[in-house]
């Protein structure tokens, strides 16, 4: 992949430290701040609390902005202040997102540079909140109480502008809540308001990042006046063949399918899934770019493609490809051909540039819909991060992407998916599933801004793996990432000694507060104290080399044997990765799948062929990334 030139992009603020003066509310005061702001502006307290929950889950994030420049519990947006430079997801010049070694690597195009004076209104709500409340913008960004006041003032103004009274009944505030979303289309504003009122109906209680408990009592009888959205004057979403659940706001913004000549075309492949090939994986990405830039890139025929983009500010979804077609997004052609790619507006190396609850919820609804449609299990061997997709061959391992990274909250995501990560066995189980407490688990990561420099402290769903049961022991090695066998590092993009929430591994040994698992062909230890565990115990299928084999090769793709290829289709090498699965080691099993290769070398789809062999493979959780082994090489058991 070529290096992306002129990648000057917008937001977020990437500073490792929150702004000076960002306050932490006194114990017990945050609930009171919501109550006082609601009373002062005539907004029902439940509405104010529910809006804040959907934006930030009541967290202040130390005064740092979200990925769309939103500040504080009310997510007041000031994108101009958060203006910075970064590079979009597929711009590092190393990974070929198409991932088919039989075709030329994908060449990318320069990203557009957005202008700060053309930012949409949804990214400039802090300015208006300041005018309405009389509170200086700096205080709205850094003082929690001021931020809540500003959000209440915006809600009250939306109610007045709709010609509605400041009713004490939450049901009368549906239109104001929809307006608060900042969405410019009816579907997104409606989906946002529905989520807010779902929070009101079900209630929530949570300990925030400032250590305070905030509670919203459930009001299951509330029946909002949903017809108020029609009076807001918002546009209809772009019509098209969208494939989304009704519970998300989804519009059609197609990726181009265009021929350039000399056998080159972009930016995806036509296919006929699932008739041609099953869809087995959902790949979670972050964009490393803002929403407008992301849409500009996916509509560029010389760039790459994915099925869906999700906006952080309000959870809006854009679909770019029919699900039957194959996007170029995962860097592994076997995975691309059998997956759906979801790009989330966000930044891996900006830990405090947080995602909104609105986007997490919209994403979870979309994934549940896809999983039900294609019978995809809701687990971490099928719902992958881009950082879990394996390199295709040894030479591509180092270039594979690392998003969404250690700051994506997989535990919360799986709760929203309806599959919370819970123990299924006792303390002597043969399998563990990683699950530290996201908010309080804060391992040091480095390199968010400068190599070797610590990132801002932040919650994380990742644990580190050591060569011995001690925090002073070296981290385990990844011979694929570092052929010279150097130790792994604490770098935020270094996946060589990292296990993430939801990933399951076979237990190799337990010793006090430490647990060892089989990982990349070696015994790897992580801190797992009984009083504050970082994993839950479970059961599962595991595999090990069959009797008589000292080791078996590990692969990054499950391609057919040579004899399966028909005339005219070039045989793809079944190339092992530089790892070994050794006798006595066990790894948790995912799918069993036949070897498959989608031959799609031309713009004209009449020559496309799916090659399917007799050789079968098992997907395994081998390291931070999944891998494949031949079924004939292993035996499977349940522990």
């Amino acid at each position: 992949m070529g290096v992306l030139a002129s990648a000057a992009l917008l937001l977020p603020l990437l500073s490792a430290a929150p702004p000076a003066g960002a306050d932490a509310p006194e114990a017990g005061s945050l609930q009171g701040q919501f109550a006082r702001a609601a009373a002062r502006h005539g907004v029902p307290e439940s509405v104010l609390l529910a809006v804040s929950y959907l934006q930030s889950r009541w967290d202040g994030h130390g005064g740092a902005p979200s990925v769309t420049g939103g500040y504080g519990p009310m997510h007041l947006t000031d994108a101009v202040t958060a203006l910075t430079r970064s590079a979009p997801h597929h711009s590092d010049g190393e990974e070929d997102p198409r991932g088919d070694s039989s075709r030329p690597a994908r060449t990318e195009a320069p990203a557009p540079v957005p202008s700060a004076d053309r930012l949409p209104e949804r990214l400039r709500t802090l300015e208006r909140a300041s005018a309405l409340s009389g509170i200086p913008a700096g205080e709205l960004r850094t003082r929690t109480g001021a931020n809540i006041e500003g959000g209440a003032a915006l809600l009250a103004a939306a109610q007045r502008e709709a010609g509605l009274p400041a009713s004490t009944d939450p049901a009368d505030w549906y239109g104001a809540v929809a307006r608060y979303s900042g969405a410019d289309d009816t579907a997104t504003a409606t989906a946002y308001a529905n989520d807010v009122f779902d929070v009101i109906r079900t209630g929530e209680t949570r300990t925030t990042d400032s250590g305070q408990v905030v509670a919203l009592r459930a009001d299951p009888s509330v029946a909002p006046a949903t017809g108020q959205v029609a009076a807001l004057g918002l546009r209809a979403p772009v019509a098209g063949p969208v494939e989304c659940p009704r519970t998300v706001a989804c519009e059609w913004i197609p990726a181009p399918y265009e021929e350039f000549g000399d056998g080159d075309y972009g930016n995806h492949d036509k296919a006929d899934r699932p008739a041609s090939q099953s869809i087995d994986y959902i790949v979670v990405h972050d964009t490393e770019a803002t929403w407008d830039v992301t849409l500009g890139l996916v509509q560029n025929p010389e760039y790459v493609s994915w099925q869906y983009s999700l906006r952080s500010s309000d959870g809006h979804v854009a679909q770019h490809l029919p699900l039957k077609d194959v996007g170029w997004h995962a860097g592994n052609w076997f995975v691309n051909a059998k997956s759906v790619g979801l790009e989330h507006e966000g930044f891996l190396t900006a830990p405090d540039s947080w995602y909104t609850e609105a986007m997490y919820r919209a994403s979870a609804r979309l994934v549940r819909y896809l999983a039900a449609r294609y019978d995809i299990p809701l687990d971490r061997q099928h719902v992958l991060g881009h950082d879990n997709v394996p390199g295709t061959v040894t030479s591509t391992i180092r270039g594979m992407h690392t998003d969404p990274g250690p700051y994506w909250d997989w535990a919360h995501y799986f709760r929203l998916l309806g599959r919370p990560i819970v123990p299924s066995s006792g303390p002597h189980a043969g399998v563990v599933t990683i699950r530290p407490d996201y908010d309080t688990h804060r391992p040091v990561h480095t390199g968010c801004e400068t190599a070797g420099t610590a990132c801002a402290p932040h919650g994380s769903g990742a644990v580190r793996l050591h060569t011995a049961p001690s925090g002073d022991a070296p981290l385990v090695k990844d011979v694929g990432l570092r052929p010279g066998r150097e130790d792994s590092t604490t770098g935020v993009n270094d996946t060589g000694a990292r296990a993430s929430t939801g990933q399951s591994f076979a237990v190799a040994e337990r010793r006090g507060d430490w647990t060892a698992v089989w990982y990349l062909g070696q015994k790897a230890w992580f801190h797992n104290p009984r009083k504050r565990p970082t994993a839950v115990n479970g059961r599962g299928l595991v595999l090990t080399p069959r009797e008589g084999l000292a080791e078996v090769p590990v692969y990054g793709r499950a391609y057919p044997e040579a004899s399966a290829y028909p005339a005219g289709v070039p045989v793809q090498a079944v190339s092992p990765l530089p790892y070994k699965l050794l006798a006595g080691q066990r790894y948790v099993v995912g799918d069993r799948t036949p070897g498959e290769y989608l031959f799609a070398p031309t713009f004209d789809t009449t020559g496309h062929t799916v090659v399917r062999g007799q050789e079968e493979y098992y997907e395994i959780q081998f390291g931070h990334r999944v891998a494949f082994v031949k079924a004939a090489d292993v035996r499977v058991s349940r522990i």
Side-chain angles (χ1 to χ4, degrees), residues 248-286:
V248 303
C250 190
E251 67 178 327
W252 180 247
I253 301 178
Y257 191 64
E258 184 175 321
E259 190 169 20
F260 309 136
D262 296 325
D264 192 17
Y265 64 96
N267 57 16
H268 59 281
D269 279 295
K270 297 292 186 183
D272 189 25
R273 305 182 308 172
S276 57
Q277 287 184 283
S278 60
I279 297 176
D280 297 333
Y281 309 105
I282 296 165
V283 182
V284 172
H285 305 256
D286 73 43

Side-chain angles (χ1 to χ4, degrees), residues 564-579:
Y565 289 80
V569 177
V571 174
Q572 302 300 301
V574 181
S575 303
L577 300 177
Y579 311 106

Side-chain angles (χ1 to χ4, degrees), residues 284 286 348 355 385-387 402-410 460-462 492-493 495 498 500 624:
V284 172
D286 73 43
L348 185 159
Y355 300 116
H386 194 173
D387 53 353
T402 59
D403 61 292
Y407 304 121
W408 180 265
D409 192 346
W410 286 107
S460 172
V492 70
N493 287 302
T495 61
R498 182 184 298 170
S500 290
H624 186 68

Side-chain angles (χ1 to χ4, degrees), residues 282-502:
I282 296 165
V283 182
V284 172
H285 305 256
D286 73 43
T287 62
E288 298 299 315
T290 58
W291 179 253
D292 293 339
V293 169
T294 297
L295 295 188
L297 291 171
V298 78
Q299 293 177 88
N300 183 341
E302 297 182 3
Y303 199 61
V304 295
S305 60
W306 49 91
Q307 276 77 16
Y308 298 96
S309 296
L310 291 97
R311 192 163 67 198
S312 183
S313 61
D314 51 21
H316 179 71
V317 178
Q319 183 175 356
H320 311 300
L321 303 176
L323 291 171
K324 67 181 181 65
D325 291 343
V326 176
W328 300 346
H329 59 92
N332 183 313
W333 185 242
F334 177 82
V335 175
N336 275 341
K338 296 173 73 65
S339 72
V340 174
L342 277 63
E343 290 276 4
H344 298 78
E345 185 182 14
F347 299 83
L348 185 159
T349 60
D352 279 316
S353 295
W354 38 282
Y355 300 116
T356 66
E357 178 71 358
M359 185 172 72
Y360 270 123
R361 288 188 173 216
S363 181
R365 289 195 184 104
L366 179 56
V367 168
R368 286 202 307 268
Y369 163 83
L370 295 170
R373 179 169 174 172
Y374 297 112
D375 196 25
I376 302 172
L378 288 172
D379 59 40
R380 286 301 316 282
Q381 287 185 313
H382 297 87
V383 182
L384 303 172
H386 194 173
D387 53 353
N388 307 135
V389 176
T392 53
V393 294
T394 298
S395 62
T396 65
I397 292 173
R398 298 187 70 179
M400 295 301 290
H401 280 199
T402 59
D403 61 292
Y407 304 121
W408 180 265
D409 192 346
W410 286 107
H412 181 55
Y413 196 52
F414 269 78
R415 284 193 294 271
L416 293 173
L417 288 173
R419 294 290 190 276
I421 300 162
V422 296
S424 59
S425 188
H428 304 295
V431 171
V432 290
T433 300
I434 305 301
R435 196 204 64 184
D437 180 78
Y438 180 88
D439 292 326
T440 60
H441 179 67
R442 298 191 168 203
V444 174
H445 293 286
T446 57
C448 286
E449 291 188 277
T450 306
T453 301
C455 303
H458 198 276
S460 172
V463 301
R464 291 240 166 72
L465 298 162
H466 297 261
T467 56
S470 167
D472 295 327
L475 297 174
V476 297
K477 294 176 172 61
D478 184 331
V479 298
L481 281 176
R482 293 179 175 80
R485 293 185 172 271
E486 308 99 284
D487 293 339
S488 298
T489 72
T490 59
V492 70
N493 287 302
D494 190 340
T495 61
R498 182 184 298 170
S500 290
T501 293

Side-chain angles (χ1 to χ4, degrees), residues 29 41 54 56 65 67 74 101 211 248 275 335 404 406 409-410 421 423 477 488 498 503 514 618 635 637:
S29 68
H41 293 276
L54 199 64
S56 68
V67 301
M74 298 306 299
S101 56
V248 303
V335 175
D409 192 346
W410 286 107
I421 300 162
K477 294 176 172 61
S488 298
R498 182 184 298 170
Q503 293 180 330
W514 289 79
Y618 284 110
R635 60 181 177 85
S637 61

